[in-house]
Amino acid sequence: MRGVVFDGKRTEVVDDLDIRDPGPGEVLVAVAAAGLCHSDLSVIDGTIPFPVPVVLGHEGAGVVEAVGAGVNHVAPGDHVSLSTLASCGACAQCDRGRPTMCRKAIGMPGQPFSRGGKPLYQFASNSAFAERTLVKAVQAVKIPADLPLTSAALIGCGVVTGVGAVLNRAKVDRGDSVVVIGTGGIGLNVIQGARIAGSLKIVAVDSNPDKEAVARQFGATHFLTSTEGVKEILPHGADHVFECVGRTELIRTAVDLLDRHGQAILLGVPAATAEASFLVSSMFLDKSILGCRYGSSRPQRDIALYAELYREGRLLLDELVTETYPVEDFAKAADDAHHGRVARGVLVF
């Protein structure tokens, strides 16, 4: 079968991947569509260290092809959106409703794929850039069959991370002010999360002026090409500032833009060794810097919720899909994503 493989030096679309049958508690999914996220590019450029060779992709949707013993919540033929959280469901963190903190879901990549008899790693317990992938049952979330799979593919990372960061981690309240630095796939979902939460002022910041129209479509009340104008809109600072780019100087800027009791939420991914600075004295007015993994989500609950919000017209998905690419055009899709030409490109099989 076809898939996108990174061997540590180059990325190629291959057609000779194999995948094993599902074991107990596993689900085999025929992937229909997969969003191309900057995290995939970060594996290729080394920002995110990951063992190789690896089948890329972590944001996808498809149709269940087979299930292993003990899987009851999905069946062959069901449409599913895929989560990256291979959480165990039994540890203390899972029991507290924090599957993003499950240690079984962090740093333990499996190898369900092989090529020429040699095993390949699975990226983010998902590897949606393959015609079929194998996930834990908890990662397959049933969605309505009338939800387009090219749109549903984006729920499992971009939407869960961006909207989840607003609702689950920052807990943005009605009337709060929000600044979003970077309006790519994650930033746009932060914007619409803030809109859903009832934020009155949502200031989108992006150096590319061409992104203003889509930012406003998703809910931005203001658009700036730099952070310099934020204080004119919010003289006292913002209640919440979301850094969605992954640059350390912007992390400092996010902290500096906060009002008293404000929160800076870090969603962008800098290099693993990157360090950021801030004025310690500025933090004594109850300001906070919050890390956020995967929108602090509970996927079986959140993905189903976002699917229903989409059906009600309250959450935008179709508008995120800037362009679809046959998987053979991965190189073009990656180049478009790298240069910010698309909010979210989607690979289709």
Side-chain angles (χ1 to χ4, degrees):
M1 66 178 182
R2 292 172 296 168
V4 180
V5 175
F6 175 59
D7 66 4
K9 295 182 179 179
R10 68 190 187 104
T11 307
E12 63 176 327
V13 180
V14 303
D15 60 6
D16 57 351
L17 283 179
D18 293 309
I19 192 166
R20 63 175 175 80
D21 293 333
E26 295 180 333
V27 179
L28 181 68
V29 177
V31 178
L36 178 55
C37 173
H38 275 278
S39 293
D40 300 299
L41 302 181
S42 293
V43 174
I44 296 170
D45 67 22
T47 301
I48 297 178
F50 205 87
V52 293
V54 58
V55 181
L56 295 174
H58 66 286
E59 183 182 69
V63 180
V64 175
E65 197 164 279
V67 300
V71 178
N72 300 311
H73 74 291
V74 293
D78 285 344
H79 287 207
V80 292
S81 178
L82 300 177
S83 159
T84 67
L85 286 184
S87 51
C88 71
C91 68
Q93 296 294 346
C94 286
D95 194 48
R96 292 183 180 122
R98 301 173 188 162
T100 56
M101 297 296 104
C102 175
R103 284 176 169 79
K104 295 289 186 181
I106 302 175
M108 300 180 68
Q111 294 180 303
F113 299 95
S114 61
R115 185 182 181 208
K118 297 181 179 180
L120 289 82
Y121 287 101
Q122 183 175 38
F123 179 51
S125 302
N126 190 304
S127 290
F129 293 170
E131 286 186 273
R132 292 175 183 81
T133 192
L134 192 66
V135 297
K136 283 188 175 182
V138 71
Q139 296 177 253
V141 184
K142 186 175 179 179
I143 57 174
D146 60 357
L147 202 164
L149 289 171
T150 49
S151 297
L154 305 185
I155 300 178
C157 179
V159 175
V160 161
T161 299
V163 178
V166 173
L167 301 182
N168 300 329
R169 186 66 169 130
K171 299 187 186 301
V172 173
D173 202 357
R174 292 163 295 178
D176 284 357
S177 58
V178 170
V179 175
V180 183
I181 302 175
T183 61
I186 298 298
L188 289 175
N189 279 298
V190 171
I191 291 170
Q192 72 170 333
R195 169 178 52 78
I196 291 168
S199 176
L200 287 181
K201 289 188 177 180
I202 306 171
V203 183
V205 182
D206 199 292
S207 60
N208 184 352
D210 293 339
K211 293 186 176 182
E212 179 173 2
V214 68
R216 290 187 180 276
Q217 181 183 22
F218 274 72
T221 60
H222 301 75
F223 184 90
L224 301 171
T225 54
S226 80
T227 57
E228 293 179 3
V230 171
K231 287 295 179 71
E232 294 181 15
I233 301 167
L234 301 169
H236 298 297
D239 296 312
H240 312 274
V241 180
F242 294 82
E243 201 285 331
C244 304
V245 180
R247 287 168 47 188
T248 55
E249 67 270 24
L250 292 178
I251 293 172
R252 168 62 183 267
T253 299
V255 174
D256 291 343
L257 290 175
L258 293 176
D259 194 359
R260 298 179 178 188
H261 207 272
Q263 300 180 135
I265 300 91
L266 310 185
L267 297 177
V269 182
T273 57
E275 296 183 1
S277 64
F278 59 91
L279 286 175
V280 176
S281 60
S282 73
M283 304 302 293
F284 294 132
L285 292 172
D286 284 3
K287 297 180 183 181
S288 304
I289 301 174
L290 304 181
C292 183
R293 180 171 190 253
Y294 203 56
S296 301
S297 64
R298 287 178 277 175
Q300 287 291 335
R301 179 201 66 171
D302 290 352
I303 290 176
L305 169 64
Y306 300 150
E308 285 303 314
L309 287 174
Y310 165 81
R311 296 177 85 195
E312 293 177 5
R314 297 171 61 190
L315 184 138
L316 305 181
L317 284 179
D318 303 337
E319 295 81 0
L320 282 168
V321 183
T322 312
E323 189 167 349
T324 58
Y325 307 82
V327 68
E328 289 79 10
D329 290 344
F330 173 79
K332 182 180 186 307
D335 188 65
D336 286 348
H338 176 71
H339 288 96
R341 302 186 192 105
V342 293
R344 232 4 168 235
V346 175
L347 301 179
V348 292
F349 291 91

